[in-house]
Amino acid sequence: DVQLVESGGGLVQPGGSLRLSCEVTGFSLTDHEMNWVRQAPGKAMEWVAFISTDGRTQYYADSVKGRFTISKNSAQESLFLQMNSLRAEDTAVYHCARAVSDYVWGTFRYFDYWGQGSLVTVSS
Amino acid sequence: QSALTQPASVSGSPGQSITISCSGTSSDIGNFHSVSWYQHHPGKAPKVIIYDINNRPSGISHRFSGSKSGNTASLDISGLQAEDEAIYFCVSYTSTNTYVFFGGGTQLTVL
């Protein structure tokens, strides 16, 4: 069975750092593109970051570019999100999500599996 | 404000049918096939129920169906059941300089 389990969330002060992990089972991170998606309280889901199957390509939402870094350790089957210079507006539940892409064009089709999420609260 | 527009809430009685809309533009829904719908019970992992506009993953009930007309995608749920009460959100590929767009989410209440 495919499972994604996030961890590492918590309370952090503005300007601080936090590292989220997403442990996956039932598939290999070398075979699938992965993403982080977040949902702030009372707001819509927001895509945060993408990493390619080989780990060489990353994309970021403008709101986190330069502050967040997505990475993975395929041997440990773990996806990470390093979050630095955190702001109050980064407060959200962070989900990892596996993506299915178009076989020909390589463009996004849909997210086929998600984790339950990990809550990050940025507050003094 | 989300890139894709959904109604904040819809409701229906058990056995009835409802439709949730997801409005975008020609840069996303209007010109691409990659529209998907998700069911989310808060505190749990979201689950894909429709992908590529109108395809159901294995194990998803036939009561769920999707369609698209112009820049608007729709999710239809027939024969409403109590367990359908959840938040439903749409996602679309976009040709703009971001990865995907999300809808704001629609709270479905089964009366």
Side-chain angles (χ1 to χ4, degrees), chain A residues 35 44 47 108-109 111 114 116, chain B residues 2 34 38 43 45 52 99-100:
Chain A
N35 294 266
W47 169 76
F108 172 83
R109 286 177 63 198
F111 298 111
W114 298 65
Q116 284 186 250
Chain B
S2 304
S34 299
Y38 302 82
D52 294 348
Y99 184 63
V100 293

Side-chain angles (χ1 to χ4, degrees), chain A residues 79-117:
Chain A
L79 177 73
F80 305 104
L81 186 68
Q82 177 66 44
M83 304 184 292
N84 298 331
S85 303
L86 282 161
R87 306 166 180 167
E89 54 264 36
D90 296 318
T91 294
V93 173
Y94 285 74
H95 299 268
C96 54
R98 193 176 86 170
V100 176
S101 296
D102 183 272
Y103 208 69
V104 174
W105 301 105
T107 53
F108 172 83
R109 286 177 63 198
Y110 62 101
F111 298 111
D112 61 346
Y113 288 97
W114 298 65
Q116 284 186 250

Side-chain angles (χ1 to χ4, degrees), chain A residues 2-121:
Chain A
V2 171
Q3 283 196 327
L4 292 76
V5 180
E6 301 92 341
S7 62
L11 175 64
V12 61
Q13 292 190 336
S17 298
L18 212 56
R19 189 194 199 205
L20 300 182
S21 299
C22 171
E23 184 177 337
V24 308
T25 53
F27 70 99
S28 173
L29 287 176
T30 57
D31 294 332
H32 294 272
E33 297 168 344
M34 297 295 295
N35 294 266
W36 288 96
V37 176
R38 67 184 180 184
Q39 186 172 30
K43 296 201 170 181
M45 291 279 189
E46 177 191 18
W47 169 76
V48 173
F50 159 97
I51 189 166
S52 60
T53 53
D54 62 8
R56 295 180 181 180
T57 302
Q58 301 91 34
Y59 301 128
Y60 299 94
D62 287 344
S63 57
V64 307
K65 204 172 291 183
R67 300 187 298 123
F68 289 14
T69 302
I70 187 172
S71 63
K72 63 181 178 178
N73 183 323
S74 297
Q76 296 177 356
E77 299 297 3
S78 291
L79 177 73
F80 305 104
L81 186 68
Q82 177 66 44
M83 304 184 292
N84 298 331
S85 303
L86 282 161
R87 306 166 180 167
E89 54 264 36
D90 296 318
T91 294
V93 173
Y94 285 74
H95 299 268
C96 54
R98 193 176 86 170
V100 176
S101 296
D102 183 272
Y103 208 69
V104 174
W105 301 105
T107 53
F108 172 83
R109 286 177 63 198
Y110 62 101
F111 298 111
D112 61 346
Y113 288 97
W114 298 65
Q116 284 186 250
S118 182
L119 176 61
V120 172
T121 303

Side-chain angles (χ1 to χ4, degrees), chain B residues 1-89:
Chain B
Q1 189 173 354
S2 304
L4 305 178
T5 302
Q6 298 181 232
S9 62
V10 297
S11 62
S13 300
Q16 287 187 332
S17 299
I18 62 96
T19 298
I20 299 172
S21 61
C22 172
S23 297
T25 69
S26 58
S27 295
D28 38 74
I29 294 174
N31 277 311
F32 299 99
H33 202 67
S34 299
V35 180
S36 48
W37 289 91
Y38 302 82
Q39 179 188 65
H40 188 201
H41 292 99
K44 296 195 172 182
K47 179 171 69 173
V48 60
I49 54 174
I50 295 289
Y51 67 94
D52 294 348
I53 298 176
N54 56 10
N55 290 280
R56 274 185 309 275
S58 172
I60 298 301
S61 170
H62 283 71
R63 298 186 299 105
F64 294 93
S65 62
S67 61
K68 186 183 90 165
S69 177
N71 295 337
T72 299
S74 297
L75 171 70
D76 293 301
I77 308 176
S78 62
L80 275 178
Q81 300 178 0
E83 59 261 35
D84 296 335
E85 188 161 295
I87 295 169
Y88 293 83
F89 62 89

